[in-house]
């Protein structure tokens, strides 16, 4: 339950957050104006480092992969906030109504690439630190705010690198990914598979002399369609899915039988689809075709040259609605805004696949903006979401540790 101390400070935090409304809106605009595709986040990290150093925090640092972290407090209960600072590309600029990196503010909405996913999140978390610095009161918590790199390319990779390198052991992680101010408590996971069949090339005028690698792939594709109808369903997260997303082949010419065929498969998983059950599916496919099947691997050096590597299996995860993290988040929201937050899930995958899915650290999401605007040419965030999120981020550690 929320104690008397937290009750007193929630009004103060609410007031300071309102006063910081323009600060956080301006910070979102400054962040959006610096393009930061995955592995090119250096400039945006520098801005955040400078911003957090200006708040007089006891510790601000960047780690080896290039995440930026600010710490507030030194109490027993360790909480980590995570928002990523990289974005996807802009796609066709003609689809945008505003210039993607102009961060246009119109009718109290800020538009631009990364506004929703996830620059508003990191701006609000930094604003939360500013509120805490202004409040000048410490609770029995240590709060780390992390601006994470390479999430769009390989979610979880850079968060894992941070926790391992710095031996930070949070008991709760809060993701700033867009939730439209709801409390999210899970999402499906995913795996990326590559299947290869090999044949024997020959002149296409006499195909019987060779073995067509594409024909060998046909039963694999049929098998995947068969499997798609039979995947596990989770009562909260919904059904797993599987889809062939790419096909190509190696052939000496358009008058030759191809010697190699390759497909990529996107597999969305629910919590009962573990790394082991996916491995069994893979074995099944391999037996079926004598093909080569593997989970693909991500390895791209960070902007600092750190060579992270991760197999592309990202587990699904949920935390219970009555878990301490969700309950404390609900109390925080209620104290600030006088009503209950809705509780939901993401359709997309986040760093939570590592924090909860692998490291088993209770993880929730709370953030500004709507998931439907993420990665779209209509990328945007409402300014009113910003100060509210900042207030939530400032109060939550007090409620959690009380
Ligand atoms: Zn995101």
């Amino acid at each position: 339950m929320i104690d008397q101390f937290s009750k007193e400070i929630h009004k103060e935090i609410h007031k300071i957050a309102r006063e910081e409304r323009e600060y956080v809106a301006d910070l979102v605009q400054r962040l959006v104006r610096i393009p930061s595709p995955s592995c090119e986040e250096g400039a945006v990290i520098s801005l955040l480092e400078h911003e957090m150093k200006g708040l007089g925090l006891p510790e601000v640092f960047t780690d080896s992969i290039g995440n930026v972290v600010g710490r507030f407090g030194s109490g027993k209960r360790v909480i980590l906030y995570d928002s990523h600072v990289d974005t996807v590309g802009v796609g066709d600029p003609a689809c945008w109504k505003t210039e993607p990196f102009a961060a246009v503010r119109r009718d109290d909405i800020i538009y631009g690439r990364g506004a929703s996913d996830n620059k508003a999140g990191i701006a609000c978390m930094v604003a939360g630190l500013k509120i805490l610095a202004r409040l000048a009161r410490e609770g029995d918590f240590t709060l780390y705010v992390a601006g994470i790199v390479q999430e769009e390319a390989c979610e979880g990779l850079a968060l894992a690198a941070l926790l391992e390198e710095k031996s930070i052991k949070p008991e709760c992680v809060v993701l700033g990914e867009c939730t439209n101010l709801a409390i999210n408590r899970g999402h499906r996971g995913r795996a990326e598979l590559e299947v290869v069949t090999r044949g024997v090339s020959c002149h296409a005028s006499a195909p019987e002399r060779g073995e067509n690698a594409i024909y060998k792939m046909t039963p694999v594709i049929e098998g995947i369609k068969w499997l798609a109808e039979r995947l596990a369903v989770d009562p909260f997260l919904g059904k797993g899915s599987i889809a062939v997303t790419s096909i190509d082949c190696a052939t000496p010419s358009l008058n030759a039988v191809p010697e190699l065929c390759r497909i990529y498969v996107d597999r969305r998983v629910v919590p009962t689809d573990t790394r082991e059950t996916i491995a069994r599916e893979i074995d099944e496919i391999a037996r079926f075709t004598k093909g080569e099947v593997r989970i693909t691997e991500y390895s791209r050096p960070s902007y600092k040259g750190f060579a992270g590597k991760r197999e592309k299996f990202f587990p699904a995860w949920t935390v219970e609605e009555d878990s301490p993290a969700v309950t404390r988040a609900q109390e925080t929201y209620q104290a600030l805004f006088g009503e209950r937050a809705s509780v939901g899930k993401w359709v997309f995958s986040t760093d939570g696949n590592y924090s909860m899915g692998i490291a088993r650290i209770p993880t929730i999401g709370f953030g500004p903006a709507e998931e439907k605007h993420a990665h779209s040419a209509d990328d945007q965030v409402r300014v009113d979401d910003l100060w509210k999120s900042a207030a939530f981020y400032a109060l939550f550690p007090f409620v959690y540790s009380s």
Side-chain angles (χ1 to χ4, degrees):
M1 275 298 292
I2 189 162
D3 69 3
Q4 197 52 41
F5 176 68
S6 306
K7 268 187 190 154
E8 278 167 36
I9 63 166
H10 80 250
K11 287 194 180 127
E12 227 172 315
I13 286 175
H14 190 279
K15 179 174 162 285
I16 300 174
R18 290 219 60 140
E19 289 166 6
E20 297 295 345
R21 188 176 188 272
E22 290 308 304
Y23 165 78
V24 60
D26 176 67
L27 182 54
V28 172
Q29 287 180 298
R30 285 188 285 144
L31 290 167
V32 170
R33 284 175 188 145
I34 303 172
S36 56
S38 306
C39 306
E40 295 172 41
E41 304 94 336
V44 99
I45 290 287
S46 295
L47 186 154
L48 286 166
E49 188 173 12
H50 181 260
E51 202 67 28
M52 289 203 271
K53 282 188 170 155
L55 300 177
L57 302 174
E59 189 183 10
V60 177
F61 61 87
T62 51
D63 65 2
S64 299
I65 197 168
N67 301 305
V68 64
V69 181
R71 173 172 66 82
F72 179 89
S74 50
K76 259 205 322 281
R77 316 290 298 273
V78 179
I79 300 167
L80 183 127
Y81 288 177
D82 164 320
S83 287
H84 64 89
V85 304
D86 60 322
T87 72
V88 294
V90 298
D92 180 0
C95 297
W96 288 74
K97 289 187 217 106
T98 61
E99 203 280 304
F101 299 110
V104 171
R105 177 171 169 177
R106 190 181 295 144
D107 299 326
D108 259 352
I109 297 172
I110 297 166
Y111 297 88
R113 172 53 80 227
S116 65
D117 185 15
N118 189 202
K119 288 182 170 175
I122 190 62
C124 293
M125 287 177 169
V126 171
L129 287 173
K130 189 175 185 200
I131 296 167
L132 288 169
R134 279 189 58 188
L135 196 66
R137 283 209 257 177
E138 291 195 7
D140 192 13
F141 62 84
T142 300
L143 173 66
Y144 292 97
V145 169
I148 297 286
V149 298
Q150 283 174 280
E151 190 275 347
E152 294 291 1
C154 186
E155 62 271 30
L157 173 88
L159 174 61
L162 166 66
L163 297 187
E164 277 159 29
E165 180 186 339
K166 299 292 175 184
S167 298
I168 299 172
K169 294 188 170 36
E171 59 174 278
C172 175
V173 168
V174 179
L175 303 170
E177 295 272 14
C178 30
T179 69
N180 200 20
L181 307 183
I183 299 160
N184 279 8
R185 61 180 187 88
H187 57 65
R188 292 189 305 170
R190 67 189 181 94
E192 193 179 286
L193 310 179
E194 180 190 28
V195 188
V196 171
T197 49
R198 291 177 196 274
V200 177
S201 187
C202 67
H203 201 288
S205 62
E208 67 282 359
R209 291 182 199 146
E211 274 183 275
N212 194 319
I214 292 179
Y215 295 172
K216 286 188 164 179
M217 191 60 85
T218 317
V220 182
I221 294 171
E222 286 302 326
I224 287 168
K225 282 169 74 180
W226 180 89
L227 187 62
E229 302 302 314
R230 288 159 183 82
L231 295 174
V233 179
D234 179 83
F236 176 57
L237 298 179
K239 196 176 177 213
S241 64
I242 188 166
V244 177
T245 54
S246 170
I247 183 163
D248 60 31
C249 70
T251 185
S253 88
L254 294 183
N255 310 111
V257 165
E259 62 214 8
L260 179 145
C261 181
R262 176 188 289 112
I263 62 168
Y264 287 93
V265 178
D266 178 291
R267 174 78 168 86
R268 299 286 151 161
V269 300
V270 297
T272 51
D273 299 319
T274 62
R275 177 68 184 73
E276 287 66 41
T277 67
I278 296 296
R280 279 204 292 278
E281 279 175 18
I282 289 171
D283 288 347
E284 199 61 40
I285 294 171
R287 198 164 40 236
F288 190 34
T289 66
K290 299 188 194 75
E292 300 154 40
V293 189
R294 65 178 190 104
I295 296 180
T296 59
E297 193 174 76
Y298 175 87
S299 64
R300 234 183 106 192
S302 75
Y303 76 92
K304 282 180 99 176
F306 183 97
K309 203 194 261 187
R310 189 177 167 185
E311 185 185 62
K312 287 185 154 181
F313 175 70
F314 307 91
W317 63 277
T318 58
V319 294
E320 294 302 317
E321 189 151 4
D322 61 359
S323 64
V326 175
T327 309
R328 297 289 104 80
Q330 194 59 267
E331 287 168 4
T332 302
Y333 191 89
Q334 185 114 29
L336 286 167
F337 309 118
E339 58 183 5
R340 286 182 70 77
S342 45
V343 176
K345 60 179 186 245
W346 288 285
V347 174
F348 58 41
S349 177
T350 72
D351 275 349
N353 87 82
Y354 173 76
S355 59
M356 182 61 197
I358 293 173
R360 308 310 290 171
I361 304 163
T363 299
I364 55 166
F366 182 89
E370 296 180 48
E371 189 174 344
K372 69 177 182 193
H373 293 129
H375 300 196
S376 82
D378 204 21
D379 203 342
Q380 60 181 269
V381 61
R382 289 179 299 266
V383 171
D384 260 331
D385 282 14
L386 302 175
W387 73 266
K388 287 180 179 172
S389 298
F392 178 95
Y393 296 139
L395 181 59
F396 178 76
F398 286 106
V399 178
Y400 186 84
S401 61
S402 66

